[in-house]
Amino acid sequence: MLNHINKQALFCKLLVVIISCFIMRNSVAFDDVFNIQVSKPTFVLPQFTGPYREREASIAPEEYETAERLKALLQNNNQAEVLQELESFYNIELSAAMLTLKAQIYFSLQKYDNAEALYLEVLSRKPQLVRVHRDLGQLYLLKNNPRKAQKHFAKAIALGSNEAIVHGQLGYLNLTLHSPFSAISEYQQAMAIEPEVIHWQQGLFSALSQAKMYSAAQALLAEMLVKNPQDIDLWVHQAVLHLNMNESKQALASLEMAILLGNKDENHLKTAIQLHLQLQSYERAFELITLHIDQTTLNVKTLNTYIQWLVQLEMWQEASELLTSIAPKISTMNKIAQSILFTQTANINNKRKKFSQADRNYQKALRLNPANGEALLKYALFASEQHKNIQAETLYIRAEALPEFEKQALLGKAQLYINTLRHKEALTHLQKAFNRYPDLHTVSEQIEVLKNIIKLNKQKNT
Amino acid sequence: MYKCLTIALLSITISACNTTPDLISNDDCINNNWVDTGYNTAISGKSVRHFNSYIEQCGEKLADNAKATYIEGFKKGIQEYCTYENGYEVGSKSKLNSNTCPYELRTEFNKGYKVATIHLKEAKAKMDQLSEDMQEKKRVHARAEMAASMGNSK
């Protein structure tokens, strides 16, 4: 029988939280009458930004003939020839429009540095060219310079660009560089212009989620799921959203849907298993563990985590079954991994009171990896419980030599000495532990108790 | 102003086609102050292509950054050059507008050039008129003289 209270506490520790934050819900007293005065809306006259033609580049009259010729070449996809002709001019001889064309060709030929220099030259001559700001923004995105990209997309919009791509990219950049709130409006603009484009929907969803506007995100996601019910990512998004809202059941339902649709992501499986364990649907949890172990290359870390979960839930039978099911694969693993699994097998056998088997398993684990600190500590405790105190002491001494396990080894050894009434040695070890690890403040009380015991014993003897 | 334009009109044939390239020494190919050269080229209304003559003269001896620095100077100079006043001056000398000003800078320059051309045309028309008047006066005078001499002979 599982103790449900302990179990809940255990799960709190167990859960690897994929949720970054939780909602703080403030209770609202509905009886209170709120009286908030807001200022009257005022109309702000938009600033005159000049004639629209200032934001578009036009070619010089003497370039008409050349432009016609280049147009024909471009229609035949002959970019190299166009570039050759444009390169025969000094840049200062070309109009901003022709220079922009030259930059665009460099861009399409992936000569990004040339394109960047030219776009900047165009802007130094005509700073209000919307399309150049847009192109430069795209270029900087490709060159992995998001701050500059953001600057130019924002400028393009300020100059009147109303292209979905510009709003969408600015939304993305604001989301990654600034706050999600600064991205929401841009994604909404992009979506308003191109409502069917999934990128903008996903962007808006991300921004809403990160801004913790879960209800709006949920509404958007529901709409997206109606259109694309087979989209695994959307189900995963929904799961994350529910987790953010502390709705474990709904999160699990969404994750199960994703798994049903073929999602094989290990983290998602792991999360689903955790949620099943949390919600006490142990059978399904164990089923998913088996599925996970069957479908992927055996990862000892994940496997060990699963076994630990089962052990903590005192599901000895299931843990044992799991280990039996992977037994044929164990020999293919490296010695360190094998040692970990033999330690777990030993722990389970110990819990199931199969002591001689446990003893053999611990020995095997330490033969495979003599530096397995976990095995040393567990085996020492096991030996101590079996009243093999000298063996336990030796094992603790070995564990003490491993820096990662020194603290636990010192405490374990101190406990062993207390059990065997070797109070002075116990005191020495506790003091040593306390000096090295100041976080062990509770130990100070035990030190005092031990000192008193030693004092009393001394008085008795005298 | 018309006096000035008249002088200009008389000198048009002398100054119209000054395209002789500037000569440059080997040392200058490397050590020349190309920013100043570019600036001076622009400010004197010459084409940016003037640099081609340096390329031809210097060949491989031309400093690596010559073109870039020349253009840097040229850009600065051309901004100062492309004004109404300079356009007027070029137009008043009946020089060809060679469109050295970049498209976005040429509005004021072209305006000056156009106004100067109109003024020049008007001055020319006035001179023609003056010349015609003088001819007419001469003809009237000649006729009067002829009539007088004919009267005397009678």
Side-chain angles (χ1 to χ4, degrees):
Chain A
M1 277 290 286
L2 290 167
N3 180 327
H4 290 287
I5 299 166
N6 285 344
K7 208 164 50 189
Q8 277 185 347
L10 192 64
F11 279 128
C12 291
K13 288 178 187 171
L14 257 177
L15 259 180
V16 179
V17 187
I18 61 167
I19 317 155
S20 55
C21 8
F22 298 92
I23 319 166
M24 294 291 291
R25 288 185 182 166
N26 297 324
S27 56
V28 179
F30 289 102
D31 297 338
D32 290 350
V33 179
F34 296 107
N35 186 9
I36 301 167
Q37 290 231 320
V38 291
S39 55
K40 283 182 183 175
T42 52
F43 177 68
V44 180
L45 198 68
Q47 200 182 354
F48 182 64
T49 52
Y52 186 71
R53 64 185 175 83
E54 284 299 310
R55 289 173 263 158
E56 293 288 344
S58 52
I59 58 169
E62 68 269 19
E63 290 173 334
Y64 287 156
E65 203 180 312
T66 313
E68 282 298 323
R69 200 169 51 251
L70 298 184
K71 194 177 161 189
L73 286 170
L74 281 174
Q75 276 165 354
N76 293 327
N77 215 12
N78 201 342
Q79 292 185 328
E81 211 170 313
V82 175
L83 193 59
Q84 199 181 358
E85 174 133 13
L86 289 171
E87 279 177 340
S88 69
F89 291 93
Y90 284 79
N91 287 343
I92 196 85
E93 292 179 297
L94 295 171
S95 66
M98 292 295 248
L99 215 51
T100 304
L101 173 67
K102 191 175 168 184
Q104 282 168 339
I105 294 170
Y106 277 134
F107 195 173
S108 68
L109 295 173
Q110 298 181 358
K111 294 179 174 179
Y112 297 137
D113 289 341
N114 292 5
E116 181 190 357
L118 268 187
Y119 280 131
L120 290 173
E121 188 172 341
V122 174
L123 288 179
S124 73
R125 285 164 62 177
K126 288 202 87 175
Q128 291 132 313
L129 296 181
V130 176
R131 285 177 199 181
V132 177
H133 281 292
R134 179 201 60 187
D135 289 356
L136 202 47
Q138 300 278 25
L139 179 67
Y140 281 130
L141 263 186
L142 278 173
K143 288 186 86 179
N144 205 14
N145 196 335
R147 293 208 175 269
K148 283 187 178 174
Q150 196 263 356
K151 181 185 138 190
H152 287 284
F153 283 132
K155 188 77 186 167
I157 288 173
L159 289 166
S161 170
N162 203 22
E163 288 177 275
I165 183 92
V166 178
H167 285 290
Q169 302 285 38
L170 186 59
Y172 164 75
L173 289 163
N174 281 352
L175 187 64
T176 49
L177 296 174
H178 303 289
S179 68
F181 290 100
S182 60
I184 292 170
S185 154
E186 293 311 325
Y187 275 129
Q188 281 173 333
Q189 290 280 344
M191 247 187 93
I193 299 164
E194 291 179 354
E196 295 303 319
V197 174
I198 195 85
H199 294 306
W200 314 143
Q201 295 171 14
Q202 284 175 342
L204 180 59
F205 170 74
S206 295
L208 290 169
S209 301
Q210 286 183 38
K212 298 188 179 22
M213 295 165 77
Y214 297 128
S215 305
Q218 175 64 51
L220 174 65
L221 197 59
E223 190 187 304
M224 289 160 79
L225 272 169
V226 168
K227 286 180 196 162
N228 304 291
Q230 305 291 316
D231 191 326
I232 294 172
D233 286 343
L234 293 181
W235 288 107
V236 173
H237 282 319
Q238 180 149 283
V240 174
L241 198 60
H242 284 305
L243 279 175
N244 283 332
M245 295 163 84
N246 288 335
E247 296 169 354
S248 302
K249 268 188 188 173
Q250 291 90 328
L252 185 55
S254 300
L255 266 183
E256 280 285 13
M257 194 65 195
I259 292 166
L260 191 74
L261 288 167
N263 183 285
K264 287 181 178 172
D265 187 293
E266 287 198 42
N267 285 328
H268 299 160
L269 263 178
K270 219 167 158 180
T271 308
I273 292 162
Q274 280 178 309
L275 286 168
H276 274 299
L277 290 172
Q278 188 189 35
L279 296 166
Q280 299 172 20
S281 47
Y282 302 121
E283 272 185 32
R284 179 61 183 156
F286 189 64
E287 211 175 291
L288 285 177
I289 290 173
T290 318
L291 173 79
H292 190 185
I293 285 162
D294 284 347
Q295 78 179 22
T296 57
T297 323
L298 207 54
N299 176 334
V300 75
K301 204 177 163 190
T302 310
L303 187 62
N304 197 32
T305 309
Y306 288 152
I307 294 166
Q308 274 173 353
W309 290 348
L310 295 171
V311 166
Q312 279 164 331
L313 287 166
E314 298 179 13
M315 294 170 72
W316 313 117
Q317 182 62 34
E318 286 80 357
S320 183
E321 273 176 34
L322 189 62
L323 282 165
T324 310
S325 72
I326 54 130
K329 294 181 183 175
I330 291 180
S331 58
T332 61
M333 297 176 179
N334 64 36
K335 284 186 177 177
I336 292 172
Q338 286 187 46
S339 177
I340 291 169
L341 293 177
F342 274 110
T343 309
Q344 288 290 18
T345 312
N347 292 341
I348 293 161
N349 282 328
N350 182 22
K351 292 288 179 188
R352 299 177 83 190
K353 302 195 189 309
K354 295 178 177 179
F355 300 125
S356 56
Q357 281 181 36
D359 198 319
R360 278 200 300 277
N361 294 143
Y362 281 129
Q363 283 182 33
K364 203 165 183 182
L366 286 172
R367 265 201 308 278
L368 287 160
N369 179 16
N372 184 342
E374 191 68 32
L376 285 167
L377 290 173
K378 293 280 185 191
Y379 194 21
L381 187 63
F382 171 79
S384 165
E385 284 165 359
Q386 301 292 311
H387 307 292
K388 297 175 180 173
N389 295 329
I390 296 169
Q391 190 189 10
E393 191 178 4
T394 314
L395 289 163
Y396 278 130
I397 291 167
R398 280 175 64 184
E400 207 182 320
L402 305 168
E404 208 185 323
F405 297 93
E406 189 196 28
K407 185 163 83 174
Q408 282 172 280
L410 282 171
L411 293 174
K413 207 153 61 151
Q415 185 62 52
L416 177 71
Y417 292 140
I418 290 168
N419 295 346
T420 52
L421 305 176
R422 293 157 69 182
H423 297 120
K424 278 186 184 173
E425 281 136 312
L427 179 63
T428 313
H429 278 80
L430 275 184
Q431 282 174 328
K432 193 176 172 184
F434 185 59
N435 290 338
R436 289 204 185 163
Y437 304 97
D439 58 308
L440 292 171
H441 33 78
T442 52
V443 167
S444 59
E445 287 169 23
Q446 287 155 346
I447 289 172
E448 285 309 311
V449 172
L450 271 174
K451 278 180 182 172
N452 287 333
I453 294 171
I454 292 165
K455 213 173 172 181
L456 277 171
N457 284 344
K458 224 176 190 178
Q459 282 169 354
K460 267 186 198 171
N461 291 335
T462 53
Chain B
M1 188 190 287
Y2 288 113
K3 256 185 193 174
C4 188
L5 284 170
T6 313
I7 298 162
L9 194 66
L10 295 171
S11 62
I12 46 173
T13 48
I14 307 163
S15 61
C17 305
N18 186 12
T19 54
T20 318
D22 297 332
L23 293 175
I24 187 165
S25 69
N26 280 349
D27 273 357
D28 279 350
C29 288
I30 302 162
N31 300 320
N32 188 29
N33 185 336
W34 289 107
V35 177
D36 284 355
T37 307
Y39 177 82
N40 291 330
T41 307
I43 209 78
S44 57
K46 291 176 191 167
S47 161
V48 68
R49 286 181 178 265
H50 205 68
F51 187 74
N52 289 353
S53 70
Y54 301 122
I55 297 174
E56 279 167 25
Q57 289 177 71
C58 297
E60 288 180 356
K61 285 175 192 155
L62 193 67
D64 288 341
N65 64 345
K67 190 175 178 182
T69 45
Y70 170 89
I71 286 171
E72 188 190 324
F74 188 90
K75 277 184 189 169
K76 205 177 165 212
I78 205 73
Q79 285 192 354
E80 290 178 30
Y81 174 73
C82 296
T83 59
Y84 177 90
E85 289 74 19
N86 283 326
Y88 190 89
E89 195 184 328
V90 172
S92 64
K93 286 177 182 170
S94 281
K95 283 186 189 174
L96 196 69
N97 183 356
S98 52
N99 280 339
T100 52
C101 289
Y103 185 44
E104 68 275 7
L105 291 179
R106 69 173 60 153
T107 313
E108 285 303 304
F109 183 92
N110 284 355
K111 205 186 275 178
Y113 184 87
K114 211 169 183 178
V115 170
T117 311
I118 291 165
H119 285 172
L120 203 61
K121 215 173 176 180
E122 285 171 359
K124 192 172 177 285
K126 198 160 189 178
M127 274 186 65
D128 288 348
Q129 187 61 52
L130 280 170
S131 171
E132 184 63 28
D133 289 349
M134 278 174 71
Q135 292 294 323
E136 185 57 31
K137 273 181 187 169
K138 272 183 187 171
R139 278 196 292 274
V140 170
H141 187 69
R143 275 200 296 272
E145 272 187 351
M146 200 181 284
S149 64
M150 281 175 73
N152 289 338
S153 63
K154 278 180 186 174

